[in-house]
Amino acid sequence: MSDTPTPRRRRRRPAFLVMAAAATAALVGTLLSGPGAHRAEAAPAAFVHPGVTVSKGQLDFARTQVLAGAQPWKGAYDQMMASRYASLTRTPAPRATVECGSYSNPNYGCTDEREDAIAAYTDALAWYVTRDERYAKKAIELMDAWSAVIKDHTNSNAPLQTGWAGSSWPKAAEIIKYTYTGTWTNSGRFATMLRSVYLPEIINGSNSNGNWELSMMEAAVGISVFLEDKTSYDKAMAKFRTRTAAYVYLSTDGSVPKTVPGQNLDTTAKIVSYWQGQSTFVTGLTQETCRDFTHTGYGISAISHIAETSRIQGQDLYGTDVGERLRQALGFQTKYQLGAAVPSSLCGGSLNLGLGPVTEVGYNALHNRLGIAMTNTQQLTQQNRPAGSNNLFVAWETLTHGDNPA
């Protein structure tokens, strides 16, 4: 069973209002999810900063809670500050060419790049909470070191690697550029790095497993916000909408999941193979559920991050099929992560668990903001607090999004 919404009692409205609302909803639904839905309509007239995954209001709330010693935020902050990512003695390790093969083998700069990017974001958060400019300067040092050196990503995992590191860099840069009162002389060079090294590698997407393209679009959306690039933002958002619909199954999709144009998944047999051999499709199942929950968690996390960025930028996707797919994916996966018996019809009766620290953003948006009952997700989220980092592209989300009303 996936998470279910809390019923709401509504007052009856006059018939003409009901008809008008239905017509409007149909129009909006067509614009958002119909055949011509993925046009360049998503970019705001003016971008909001800081506005990649976490907003100024959310940062202010987290800071207030930490300084007051309130839980779980103080514990989450202490966890972050005790991590290697917050070290003021960290030495950046940039490379001109980051080479990452399958499963990071070979690993020439892959771990260094991802973790320096997470460290920059960690330092940016530390700066915001403490107002200790040593952390802002350390974030700048890390960003400057890479922007001075990196030219390319190579080998088979290059798109995914670029997506992972490229998801953390703009989160750090947004906080520093728009809240730090000191100077960041090389911010323009950093922007050029994102535009010339990162964006071309990710913006056209991937036909690999769905978590690849979702992570790549997360990076592309975040980079587009920092660059204030409406064209790339719209392109990334369109790919995101299409991929999300093809990553999380809803019964309303029909007898088989939706597909991404260009993947040539034109028979049921091909779709079943792409869905890891799973032939029974139930609401909340993802394209990688039967692969393992770790990769599934990557996809769910990227969906929630993009939805959150979009909300901050003025287009709330939580009320669309994106939010419904995220809700159902969280509910389905957390049920089994919590230990529910696995039916033989699901992945042959065996699951590889390990969802990771990926539930806070979606849970906060859907449960706390929208009032949807999410029993499984709530239990796992609270059980796993404070959520740390997956050392790839997820970090400190109990601190930034845990029960955050902003």
Side-chain angles (χ1 to χ4, degrees), residues 164-366:
W164 281 340
S167 294
S168 297
W169 286 130
K171 290 193 289 189
E174 282 279 298
I175 295 172
I176 295 301
K177 183 173 181 178
Y178 293 100
T179 74
Y180 177 48
T181 51
T183 57
W184 180 13
T185 304
N186 292 312
S187 63
R189 187 179 73 194
F190 184 81
T192 298
M193 175 192 79
L194 294 181
R195 184 181 298 280
S196 62
V197 178
Y198 286 79
L199 202 52
E201 185 70 43
I202 56 178
I203 192 63
N204 291 318
S206 167
N207 285 328
S208 184
N209 282 299
N211 82 86
W212 277 52
E213 187 162 87
L214 289 167
S215 289
M216 291 162 68
M217 291 310 105
E218 177 186 344
V221 166
I223 287 169
S224 298
V225 170
F226 184 72
L227 297 177
E228 298 196 325
D229 184 335
K230 295 182 180 182
T231 300
S232 62
Y233 184 95
D234 288 341
K235 182 174 182 177
M237 196 62 72
K239 285 191 174 294
F240 164 69
R241 295 293 302 272
T242 301
R243 175 62 67 175
T244 299
Y247 192 71
V248 182
Y249 176 78
L250 300 178
S251 61
T252 51
D253 293 338
S255 60
V256 295
K258 292 179 179 291
T259 59
V260 173
Q263 284 197 273
N264 299 314
L265 298 176
D266 52 3
T267 67
T268 298
K270 289 181 182 179
I271 293 172
V272 168
S273 176
Y274 186 58
W275 281 62
Q276 321 297 326
Q278 178 70 8
S279 58
T280 302
F281 301 106
V282 292
T283 291
L285 183 79
T286 80
Q287 182 255 315
E288 296 185 275
T289 297
C290 293
R291 179 188 185 188
D292 59 64
F293 272 29
T294 300
H295 287 88
T296 298
Y298 300 164
I300 290 172
S301 181
I303 291 170
S304 67
H305 291 166
I306 296 173
E308 192 72 357
T309 296
S310 180
R311 181 189 71 88
I312 295 167
Q313 297 304 327
Q315 185 192 45
D316 196 337
L317 294 178
Y318 290 115
T320 72
D321 75 296
V322 170
E324 179 64 7
R325 291 178 195 278
L326 176 60
R327 176 175 79 88
Q328 296 291 354
L330 282 169
F332 188 86
Q333 265 62 220
T334 56
K335 171 185 176 180
Y336 293 107
Q337 185 66 42
L338 288 166
V342 183
S344 59
S345 60
L346 177 62
C347 310
S350 177
L351 294 171
N352 296 313
L353 302 178
L355 194 58
V358 302
T359 64
E360 287 278 16
V361 175
Y363 171 71
N364 186 56
L366 296 166

Side-chain angles (χ1 to χ4, degrees), residues 100-138:
C100 306
S102 181
Y103 292 93
S104 293
N105 182 24
N107 182 340
Y108 299 132
C110 316
T111 301
D112 290 336
E113 181 189 28
R114 294 193 305 264
E115 296 197 352
D116 277 351
I118 292 173
Y121 176 52
T122 301
D123 290 326
L125 290 173
W127 142 255
Y128 200 88
V129 172
T130 64
R131 296 301 197 267
D132 182 339
E133 70 173 358
R134 291 179 301 166
Y135 290 104
K137 289 179 177 179
K138 176 57 71 171

